[in-house]
Amino acid sequence: MLTIYHNPRCSKSRQTLALIEEHKHDVTIVEYLKTPLSIAEIEQLLALLKISPLAMMRTKEVEFK
């Protein structure tokens, strides 16, 4: 099963979800703005993806700046 950390306001997130659904994959949708991830969940994702925390951030958003 796939998990998508989804932001319905984000066009890329909507496109990704549509592609997953189009291919009939089972998907768990986590709207991370409504249900924030715990520190442990973020650390787990960082380890799985082998990326830095900065790579997970939306650096063009006002909140980041």
Side-chain angles (χ1 to χ4, degrees):
M1 175 171 296
L2 298 173
T3 299
I4 181 172
Y5 295 92
H6 182 56
N7 177 354
R9 295 181 329 190
C10 174
S11 63
K12 297 292 184 196
S13 188
R14 290 192 309 270
Q15 290 170 1
T16 301
L17 182 56
L19 185 62
I20 291 168
E21 291 173 339
E22 177 182 321
H23 289 277
K24 310 255 189 267
H25 290 287
D26 290 333
V27 61
T28 299
I29 301 167
V30 177
E31 288 192 32
Y32 63 87
L33 295 174
K34 291 182 181 177
T35 309
L37 282 69
S38 68
I39 292 172
E41 289 169 319
I42 293 170
E43 289 173 339
Q44 180 182 22
L45 287 172
L46 289 169
L48 286 169
L49 297 170
K50 298 179 183 169
I51 60 173
S52 72
L54 189 59
M56 292 178 92
M57 295 183 189
R58 297 176 55 95
T59 57
K60 295 180 182 176
E61 295 289 326
V62 172
E63 291 85 353
F64 180 82
K65 292 177 181 179

